[in-house]
PDB file of all heavy atoms in Angstrom:
ATOM      1  N   LEU A  16       4.519  -2.211  -6.439  1.00  0.00           N
ATOM      2  CA  LEU A  16       5.262  -2.884  -5.357  1.00  0.00           C
ATOM      3  C   LEU A  16       6.170  -3.969  -5.925  1.00  0.00           C
ATOM      4  O   LEU A  16       7.392  -3.960  -5.637  1.00  0.00           O
ATOM      5  CB  LEU A  16       4.296  -3.456  -4.355  1.00  0.00           C
ATOM      6  CG  LEU A  16       4.893  -4.165  -3.147  1.00  0.00           C
ATOM      7  CD1 LEU A  16       5.737  -3.184  -2.320  1.00  0.00           C
ATOM      8  CD2 LEU A  16       3.812  -4.771  -2.291  1.00  0.00           C
ATOM      9  N   SER A  17       5.618  -4.840  -6.749  1.00  0.00           N
ATOM     10  CA  SER A  17       6.426  -5.941  -7.273  1.00  0.00           C
ATOM     11  C   SER A  17       7.449  -5.423  -8.264  1.00  0.00           C
ATOM     12  O   SER A  17       8.630  -5.816  -8.264  1.00  0.00           O
ATOM     13  CB  SER A  17       5.538  -6.995  -7.912  1.00  0.00           C
ATOM     14  OG  SER A  17       4.670  -6.401  -8.896  1.00  0.00           O
ATOM     15  N   GLY A  18       7.043  -4.514  -9.145  1.00  0.00           N
ATOM     16  CA  GLY A  18       7.966  -4.020 -10.186  1.00  0.00           C
ATOM     17  C   GLY A  18       9.096  -3.178  -9.629  1.00  0.00           C
ATOM     18  O   GLY A  18      10.245  -3.327 -10.053  1.00  0.00           O
ATOM     19  N   SER A  19       8.771  -2.302  -8.687  1.00  0.00           N
ATOM     20  CA  SER A  19       9.826  -1.420  -8.173  1.00  0.00           C
ATOM     21  C   SER A  19      10.862  -2.171  -7.329  1.00  0.00           C
ATOM     22  O   SER A  19      12.069  -1.891  -7.405  1.00  0.00           O
ATOM     23  CB  SER A  19       9.224  -0.265  -7.343  1.00  0.00           C
ATOM     24  OG  SER A  19       8.413  -0.778  -6.311  1.00  0.00           O
ATOM     25  N   VAL A  20      10.390  -3.131  -6.519  1.00  0.00           N
ATOM     26  CA  VAL A  20      11.293  -3.946  -5.724  1.00  0.00           C
ATOM     27  C   VAL A  20      12.122  -4.797  -6.670  1.00  0.00           C
ATOM     28  O   VAL A  20      13.357  -4.890  -6.533  1.00  0.00           O
ATOM     29  CB  VAL A  20      10.537  -4.814  -4.720  1.00  0.00           C
ATOM     30  CG1 VAL A  20      11.481  -5.844  -4.062  1.00  0.00           C
ATOM     31  CG2 VAL A  20       9.903  -3.945  -3.660  1.00  0.00           C
ATOM     32  N   ALA A  21      11.491  -5.436  -7.660  1.00  0.00           N
ATOM     33  CA  ALA A  21      12.215  -6.265  -8.638  1.00  0.00           C
ATOM     34  C   ALA A  21      13.247  -5.424  -9.420  1.00  0.00           C
ATOM     35  O   ALA A  21      14.380  -5.880  -9.647  1.00  0.00           O
ATOM     36  CB  ALA A  21      11.257  -6.954  -9.565  1.00  0.00           C
ATOM     37  N   GLY A  22      12.842  -4.212  -9.780  1.00  0.00           N
ATOM     38  CA  GLY A  22      13.768  -3.338 -10.500  1.00  0.00           C
ATOM     39  C   GLY A  22      14.966  -2.960  -9.681  1.00  0.00           C
ATOM     40  O   GLY A  22      16.094  -2.932 -10.161  1.00  0.00           O
ATOM     41  N   GLY A  23      14.737  -2.619  -8.401  1.00  0.00           N
ATOM     42  CA  GLY A  23      15.852  -2.284  -7.496  1.00  0.00           C
ATOM     43  C   GLY A  23      16.794  -3.446  -7.299  1.00  0.00           C
ATOM     44  O   GLY A  23      18.013  -3.294  -7.318  1.00  0.00           O
ATOM     45  N   VAL A  24      16.193  -4.661  -7.066  1.00  0.00           N
ATOM     46  CA  VAL A  24      17.034  -5.853  -6.839  1.00  0.00           C
ATOM     47  C   VAL A  24      17.782  -6.213  -8.136  1.00  0.00           C
ATOM     48  O   VAL A  24      18.946  -6.571  -8.094  1.00  0.00           O
ATOM     49  CB  VAL A  24      16.149  -7.023  -6.370  1.00  0.00           C
ATOM     50  CG1 VAL A  24      16.946  -8.307  -6.372  1.00  0.00           C
ATOM     51  CG2 VAL A  24      15.585  -6.734  -4.989  1.00  0.00           C
ATOM     52  N   LEU A  25      17.089  -6.083  -9.276  1.00  0.00           N
ATOM     53  CA  LEU A  25      17.716  -6.388 -10.556  1.00  0.00           C
ATOM     54  C   LEU A  25      18.892  -5.457 -10.813  1.00  0.00           C
ATOM     55  O   LEU A  25      19.957  -5.861 -11.270  1.00  0.00           O
ATOM     56  CB  LEU A  25      16.681  -6.256 -11.673  1.00  0.00           C
ATOM     57  CG  LEU A  25      17.059  -6.788 -13.067  1.00  0.00           C
ATOM     58  CD1 LEU A  25      17.364  -8.280 -12.994  1.00  0.00           C
ATOM     59  CD2 LEU A  25      15.905  -6.528 -14.051  1.00  0.00           C
ATOM     60  N   ALA A  26      18.724  -4.176 -10.503  1.00  0.00           N
ATOM     61  CA  ALA A  26      19.830  -3.216 -10.626  1.00  0.00           C
ATOM     62  C   ALA A  26      20.964  -3.569  -9.701  1.00  0.00           C
ATOM     63  O   ALA A  26      22.151  -3.429 -10.081  1.00  0.00           O
ATOM     64  CB  ALA A  26      19.329  -1.804 -10.341  1.00  0.00           C
ATOM     65  N   GLN A  27      20.669  -4.029  -8.504  1.00  0.00           N
ATOM     66  CA  GLN A  27      21.702  -4.395  -7.506  1.00  0.00           C
ATOM     67  C   GLN A  27      22.462  -5.624  -7.981  1.00  0.00           C
ATOM     68  O   GLN A  27      23.728  -5.679  -7.893  1.00  0.00           O
ATOM     69  CB  GLN A  27      21.056  -4.674  -6.167  1.00  0.00           C
ATOM     70  CG  GLN A  27      22.012  -4.858  -5.015  1.00  0.00           C
ATOM     71  CD  GLN A  27      22.397  -3.546  -4.355  1.00  0.00           C
ATOM     72  OE1 GLN A  27      21.524  -2.773  -4.005  1.00  0.00           O
ATOM     73  NE2 GLN A  27      23.679  -3.289  -4.192  1.00  0.00           N
ATOM     74  N   LEU A  28      21.734  -6.635  -8.516  1.00  0.00           N
ATOM     75  CA  LEU A  28      22.354  -7.887  -8.912  1.00  0.00           C
ATOM     76  C   LEU A  28      23.046  -7.821 -10.260  1.00  0.00           C
ATOM     77  O   LEU A  28      24.068  -8.505 -10.482  1.00  0.00           O
ATOM     78  CB  LEU A  28      21.322  -8.996  -8.916  1.00  0.00           C
ATOM     79  CG  LEU A  28      20.665  -9.361  -7.572  1.00  0.00           C
ATOM     80  CD1 LEU A  28      19.633 -10.437  -7.754  1.00  0.00           C
ATOM     81  CD2 LEU A  28      21.739  -9.812  -6.569  1.00  0.00           C
ATOM     82  N   VAL A  29      22.519  -7.056 -11.190  1.00  0.00           N
ATOM     83  CA  VAL A  29      23.046  -7.013 -12.551  1.00  0.00           C
ATOM     84  C   VAL A  29      23.702  -5.661 -12.780  1.00  0.00           C
ATOM     85  O   VAL A  29      24.898  -5.488 -12.615  1.00  0.00           O
ATOM     86  CB  VAL A  29      21.948  -7.297 -13.609  1.00  0.00           C
ATOM     87  CG1 VAL A  29      22.565  -7.356 -15.006  1.00  0.00           C
ATOM     88  CG2 VAL A  29      21.257  -8.622 -13.304  1.00  0.00           C
ATOM     89  N   ASP A  30      22.894  -4.646 -13.175  1.00  0.00           N
ATOM     90  CA  ASP A  30      23.362  -3.273 -13.341  1.00  0.00           C
ATOM     91  C   ASP A  30      22.146  -2.398 -13.495  1.00  0.00           C
ATOM     92  O   ASP A  30      21.001  -2.861 -13.562  1.00  0.00           O
ATOM     93  CB  ASP A  30      24.351  -3.132 -14.541  1.00  0.00           C
ATOM     94  CG  ASP A  30      23.759  -3.584 -15.846  1.00  0.00           C
ATOM     95  OD1 ASP A  30      22.548  -3.359 -16.115  1.00  0.00           O
ATOM     96  OD2 ASP A  30      24.495  -4.211 -16.654  1.00  0.00           O
ATOM     97  N   LEU A  31      22.346  -1.081 -13.566  1.00  0.00           N
ATOM     98  CA  LEU A  31      21.245  -0.135 -13.631  1.00  0.00           C
ATOM     99  C   LEU A  31      20.522  -0.146 -14.981  1.00  0.00           C
ATOM    100  O   LEU A  31      19.413   0.394 -15.110  1.00  0.00           O
ATOM    101  CB  LEU A  31      21.777   1.281 -13.358  1.00  0.00           C
ATOM    102  CG  LEU A  31      22.062   1.617 -11.895  1.00  0.00           C
ATOM    103  CD1 LEU A  31      22.886   2.898 -11.787  1.00  0.00           C
ATOM    104  CD2 LEU A  31      20.786   1.746 -11.098  1.00  0.00           C
ATOM    105  N   GLY A  32      21.106  -0.807 -15.968  1.00  0.00           N
ATOM    106  CA  GLY A  32      20.419  -0.904 -17.271  1.00  0.00           C
ATOM    107  C   GLY A  32      19.466  -2.083 -17.358  1.00  0.00           C
ATOM    108  O   GLY A  32      18.544  -2.043 -18.206  1.00  0.00           O
ATOM    109  N   ALA A  33      19.619  -3.073 -16.518  1.00  0.00           N
ATOM    110  CA  ALA A  33      18.796  -4.278 -16.604  1.00  0.00           C
ATOM    111  C   ALA A  33      17.282  -3.991 -16.432  1.00  0.00           C
ATOM    112  O   ALA A  33      16.457  -4.544 -17.144  1.00  0.00           O
ATOM    113  CB  ALA A  33      19.249  -5.319 -15.591  1.00  0.00           C
ATOM    114  N   PRO A  34      16.887  -3.108 -15.494  1.00  0.00           N
ATOM    115  CA  PRO A  34      15.430  -2.820 -15.369  1.00  0.00           C
ATOM    116  C   PRO A  34      14.836  -2.194 -16.621  1.00  0.00           C
ATOM    117  O   PRO A  34      13.672  -2.369 -16.915  1.00  0.00           O
ATOM    118  CB  PRO A  34      15.363  -1.829 -14.179  1.00  0.00           C
ATOM    119  CG  PRO A  34      16.580  -2.154 -13.353  1.00  0.00           C
ATOM    120  CD  PRO A  34      17.619  -2.487 -14.372  1.00  0.00           C
ATOM    121  N   MET A  35      15.652  -1.439 -17.375  1.00  0.00           N
ATOM    122  CA  MET A  35      15.181  -0.838 -18.636  1.00  0.00           C
ATOM    123  C   MET A  35      14.831  -1.928 -19.635  1.00  0.00           C
ATOM    124  O   MET A  35      13.775  -1.871 -20.341  1.00  0.00           O
ATOM    125  CB  MET A  35      16.228   0.083 -19.209  1.00  0.00           C
ATOM    126  CG  MET A  35      16.431   1.385 -18.448  1.00  0.00           C
ATOM    127  SD  MET A  35      15.026   2.502 -18.692  1.00  0.00           S
ATOM    128  CE  MET A  35      15.470   3.825 -17.540  1.00  0.00           C
ATOM    129  N   LEU A  36      15.666  -2.945 -19.737  1.00  0.00           N
ATOM    130  CA  LEU A  36      15.404  -4.033 -20.679  1.00  0.00           C
ATOM    131  C   LEU A  36      14.178  -4.830 -20.254  1.00  0.00           C
ATOM    132  O   LEU A  36      13.376  -5.255 -21.097  1.00  0.00           O
ATOM    133  CB  LEU A  36      16.622  -4.950 -20.757  1.00  0.00           C
ATOM    134  CG  LEU A  36      17.893  -4.319 -21.395  1.00  0.00           C
ATOM    135  CD1 LEU A  36      19.047  -5.326 -21.349  1.00  0.00           C
ATOM    136  CD2 LEU A  36      17.629  -3.861 -22.797  1.00  0.00           C
ATOM    137  N   ALA A  37      13.997  -5.025 -18.949  1.00  0.00           N
ATOM    138  CA  ALA A  37      12.822  -5.715 -18.446  1.00  0.00           C
ATOM    139  C   ALA A  37      11.532  -4.931 -18.809  1.00  0.00           C
ATOM    140  O   ALA A  37      10.541  -5.521 -19.224  1.00  0.00           O
ATOM    141  CB  ALA A  37      12.914  -5.913 -16.932  1.00  0.00           C
ATOM    142  N   ARG A  38      11.614  -3.612 -18.668  1.00  0.00           N
ATOM    143  CA  ARG A  38      10.457  -2.766 -18.999  1.00  0.00           C
ATOM    144  C   ARG A  38      10.108  -2.902 -20.479  1.00  0.00           C
ATOM    145  O   ARG A  38       8.910  -3.053 -20.848  1.00  0.00           O
ATOM    146  CB  ARG A  38      10.767  -1.329 -18.670  1.00  0.00           C
ATOM    147  CG  ARG A  38       9.598  -0.392 -18.976  1.00  0.00           C
ATOM    148  CD  ARG A  38      10.039   1.056 -18.892  1.00  0.00           C
ATOM    149  NE  ARG A  38       8.874   1.928 -18.969  1.00  0.00           N
ATOM    150  CZ  ARG A  38       8.947   3.237 -19.145  1.00  0.00           C
ATOM    151  NH1 ARG A  38      10.123   3.819 -19.303  1.00  0.00           N
ATOM    152  NH2 ARG A  38       7.857   3.973 -19.210  1.00  0.00           N
ATOM    153  N   ALA A  39      11.077  -2.845 -21.365  1.00  0.00           N
ATOM    154  CA  ALA A  39      10.815  -2.935 -22.787  1.00  0.00           C
ATOM    155  C   ALA A  39      10.163  -4.283 -23.127  1.00  0.00           C
ATOM    156  O   ALA A  39       9.242  -4.359 -23.955  1.00  0.00           O
ATOM    157  CB  ALA A  39      12.135  -2.760 -23.566  1.00  0.00           C
ATOM    158  N   GLY A  40      10.636  -5.365 -22.494  1.00  0.00           N
ATOM    159  CA  GLY A  40      10.057  -6.679 -22.764  1.00  0.00           C
ATOM    160  C   GLY A  40       8.608  -6.774 -22.356  1.00  0.00           C
ATOM    161  O   GLY A  40       7.782  -7.371 -23.075  1.00  0.00           O
ATOM    162  N   ILE A  41       8.254  -6.204 -21.213  1.00  0.00           N
ATOM    163  CA  ILE A  41       6.859  -6.264 -20.738  1.00  0.00           C
ATOM    164  C   ILE A  41       5.964  -5.458 -21.656  1.00  0.00           C
ATOM    165  O   ILE A  41       4.840  -5.865 -21.963  1.00  0.00           O
ATOM    166  CB  ILE A  41       6.768  -5.735 -19.298  1.00  0.00           C
ATOM    167  CG1 ILE A  41       7.515  -6.674 -18.338  1.00  0.00           C
ATOM    168  CG2 ILE A  41       5.301  -5.624 -18.855  1.00  0.00           C
ATOM    169  CD1 ILE A  41       7.672  -6.120 -16.938  1.00  0.00           C
ATOM    170  N   LEU A  42       6.472  -4.331 -22.138  1.00  0.00           N
ATOM    171  CA  LEU A  42       5.647  -3.504 -23.057  1.00  0.00           C
ATOM    172  C   LEU A  42       5.374  -4.214 -24.363  1.00  0.00           C
ATOM    173  O   LEU A  42       4.278  -4.135 -24.934  1.00  0.00           O
ATOM    174  CB  LEU A  42       6.362  -2.176 -23.313  1.00  0.00           C
ATOM    175  CG  LEU A  42       6.332  -1.168 -22.162  1.00  0.00           C
ATOM    176  CD1 LEU A  42       7.327  -0.057 -22.377  1.00  0.00           C
ATOM    177  CD2 LEU A  42       4.916  -0.602 -21.968  1.00  0.00           C
ATOM    178  N   VAL A  43       6.341  -4.956 -24.897  1.00  0.00           N
ATOM    179  CA  VAL A  43       6.121  -5.768 -26.081  1.00  0.00           C
ATOM    180  C   VAL A  43       5.018  -6.797 -25.814  1.00  0.00           C
ATOM    181  O   VAL A  43       4.123  -7.023 -26.666  1.00  0.00           O
ATOM    182  CB  VAL A  43       7.424  -6.432 -26.536  1.00  0.00           C
ATOM    183  CG1 VAL A  43       7.147  -7.462 -27.646  1.00  0.00           C
ATOM    184  CG2 VAL A  43       8.415  -5.396 -27.042  1.00  0.00           C
ATOM    185  N   ALA A  44       5.084  -7.426 -24.652  1.00  0.00           N
ATOM    186  CA  ALA A  44       4.025  -8.418 -24.298  1.00  0.00           C
ATOM    187  C   ALA A  44       2.669  -7.758 -24.213  1.00  0.00           C
ATOM    188  O   ALA A  44       1.645  -8.344 -24.625  1.00  0.00           O
ATOM    189  CB  ALA A  44       4.394  -9.084 -22.975  1.00  0.00           C
TER     190      ALA A  44
END
């Protein structure tokens, strides 16, 4: 719920690539 909404909003506010970068960062963590 939190990730998909945040991903959709992030894509709307930045671009469709931004959620990919967020995903990579969380996986490193």
Side-chain angles (χ1 to χ4, degrees):
L16 181 61
S17 54
S19 57
V20 171
V24 171
L25 192 59
Q27 189 88 51
L28 296 178
V29 184
D30 56 39
L31 283 166
M35 289 288 174
L36 293 178
R38 181 192 189 191
I41 295 171
L42 286 166
V43 170

